[in-house]
Amino acid sequence: MPEFCQFNDQNMEYSFSEEFAKQADEQDPLKAYREQYLFPQHNGEPCIYFTGNSLGLQPKTAKAALEQELDDWAKHGVEGHFDAKNPWFSYHELFTHPLAELVGAKPEEVVAMNGLTTNLHLLMVSFYQPYGSRYKILCEGKAFPSDQYALESQVRFHGYQPEDALIELHPREGEHTIRLEDTLKAIEDHKDEIALIMIGGVNYYTGQLWDMETITKAGHEIGAKVGWDLAHGAGNVPLKLHDWGVDFAAWCSYKYLNSGPGSISGAFIHEKHVTNKNLIRFAGWWGQDKETRFLMEKGFNPIPTAESWQLSNAPVFAMAIHKAALDIFQKAGINNLRKKAVKLTGYLEYVIQQVSEKSGDVSFEIITPTNPEERGCQLSILCHGKGKELFDFLTQNGVIADWREPNVIRVAPVPMYNSFMDVYRFGKILEQAS
Ligand SMILES: *Cc1c(COP(=O)(O)O)cnc(C)c1O
């Protein structure tokens, strides 16, 4: 069992009452962090913001961080590359330690660059190297659309057909999440054909957290490479990418990492690969050895770290906000956040069940695993009955959640800024609606 899943107070007694929620908030060691974020308002009060899994809230420090770079640009012009308070030439290096800590990596294994889908493509260029009968990719059926398109276009790029080259995992009939045993069986069944396993570490739709360590190991045993899309994993659950032996991973920073719409992505490439200069990659000048970058000479000499996958010079404005957001993560600590998340999501589950037992026209089924080891913050509620009406009622009453066709409401109380009172208030609105 991963160590982050062991809690001494897992059997905390919940109660669907204001008194309980207030007390839980008072006892929350992370309660002060809520004050560091800007909440959209509804009737003069903060919304119940349960979409940190889609776009995290703005840290109050973001504006000043951005202004610092605008001011340095005004003051120094091009010299800002070296004379800015945080010199732009090496700006991306500010992320090395915070990101390594966040995803359980060594400093040389991580880099902040590009967008998520871009990074998935760049990493597949290096780690999807089909040959002979080993040309297939094992992935989730109904993966996030961008991942589906990326996977399909990668196999086509190598001359294969997606229907043949993609092996999709599906839940069993009548179930919503994919079983580990079925995944391991698929790996075994296709052991001579799989070149790459690429899965979303936390599924965006169901909130299922995969056993990344076991699957990575199983993939390596059959000779495949294993990569994880951590769009819903980074900043949500503690990760140990280095120890798990993961070949590569990528994530975005605008969901749980609160770094603003479309902000910079992060990538992980395992130590065992970063010094391999012969590994195929699409190259650009920002991946070139720093001593010789400005000699503008012929011949690519990659930096012996994940930085060598960088193409372009760093987009400093997006990065300034990312830096401000990660500073808060470093202070709060991902393991502390995880501890609170387990209690907070457990409370939301409890409250939904309490309401569901008494409800009339609508009944709810939580399709996210009940075991905290198999989920992060998010709960996905399958509505039987008038789901869309219910969702609209929630919205009218100041709840920001999200609706996924055909009938699922996703709610994610995030430990950084959501409170037990948010969950209690949500429960009361849900009660009125049903
Ligand atoms: C959010 C998300 C994306 C978004 O991709 P971008 O390139 O950042 O637009 C991709 N994949 C998954 C699994 C996601 O959850």
Side-chain angles (χ1 to χ4, degrees), residues 42-323:
H42 176 80
N43 295 340
E45 264 195 81
C47 284
I48 299 171
Y49 195 81
F50 281 172
T51 40
N53 57 344
S54 184
L55 183 72
L57 289 181
Q58 183 182 141
K60 288 180 181 168
T61 48
K63 202 178 231 172
L66 187 54
E67 276 169 1
Q68 174 74 47
E69 303 314 322
L70 285 167
D71 290 348
D72 280 346
W73 180 25
K75 192 164 145 198
H76 302 291
V78 70
E79 304 299 340
H81 282 289
F82 297 98
D83 296 343
K85 179 167 176 252
N86 301 306
W88 306 328
F89 176 77
S90 53
Y91 203 94
H92 68 274
E93 293 172 13
L94 296 172
F95 300 102
T96 308
H97 286 281
L99 287 181
E101 204 175 295
L102 193 73
V103 301
K106 294 191 170 182
E108 59 271 29
E109 294 174 320
V110 289
V111 64
M113 60 179 187
N114 309 317
L116 170 56
T117 309
T118 310
N119 284 337
L120 291 175
H121 275 298
L122 291 175
L123 293 165
M124 280 194 272
V125 163
S126 298
F127 296 104
Y128 174 51
Q129 296 278 335
Y131 62 91
S133 67
R134 195 179 283 284
Y135 63 91
K136 298 192 178 177
I137 304 180
L138 182 74
C139 60
E140 301 156 280
K142 293 205 193 153
F144 189 88
S146 200
D147 299 49
Q148 284 182 39
Y149 308 146
L151 290 163
E152 287 167 9
S153 56
Q154 281 284 331
V155 303
R156 284 208 175 92
F157 177 71
H158 287 279
Y160 304 101
Q161 289 307 314
E163 307 80 67
D164 171 43
L166 296 180
I167 305 166
E168 294 186 345
L169 298 162
H170 289 281
R172 292 186 188 183
E173 187 71 36
E175 297 185 4
H176 299 286
T177 50
I178 299 164
R179 295 192 191 195
L180 177 63
E181 62 201 275
D182 291 353
T183 307
L184 297 177
K185 183 165 184 304
I187 295 173
E188 186 54 32
D189 287 349
H190 299 276
K191 64 173 188 274
D192 300 321
E193 300 164 2
I194 300 175
L196 172 67
I197 298 173
M198 202 188 88
I199 299 176
V202 176
N203 180 276
Y204 82 100
Y205 186 71
T206 63
Q208 176 183 16
L209 167 61
W210 291 71
D211 183 341
M212 290 181 246
E213 183 174 16
T214 303
I215 293 168
T216 301
K217 213 161 138 218
H220 288 163
E221 272 163 19
I222 61 145
K225 294 282 189 288
V226 185
W228 295 94
D229 178 340
L230 296 172
H232 284 260
N236 180 10
V237 292
L239 300 160
K240 294 200 161 139
L241 299 183
H242 175 83
D243 291 350
W244 296 340
V246 167
D247 293 294
F248 71 91
W251 54 90
C252 51
S253 66
Y254 49 82
K255 292 175 178 167
Y256 291 98
L257 296 177
N258 311 323
S259 302
S263 191
I264 203 85
S265 165
F268 165 92
I269 297 130
H270 200 276
E271 183 182 40
K272 64 192 169 202
H273 303 300
V274 294
T275 52
N276 179 1
K277 290 188 180 182
N278 298 321
L279 191 59
I280 289 177
R281 79 199 80 186
F282 286 171
W285 74 323
W286 234 246
Q288 168 76 2
D289 172 55
K290 292 169 201 175
E291 300 303 314
T292 55
R293 186 184 292 156
F294 286 99
L295 298 180
M296 309 289 185
E297 282 174 348
K298 217 168 139 70
F300 180 62
N301 182 21
I303 307 168
T305 72
E307 293 168 279
S308 60
W309 270 262
Q310 294 175 114
L311 303 179
S312 300
N313 72 93
V316 165
F317 299 134
M319 285 184 164
I321 296 175
H322 190 31
K323 175 73 173 54

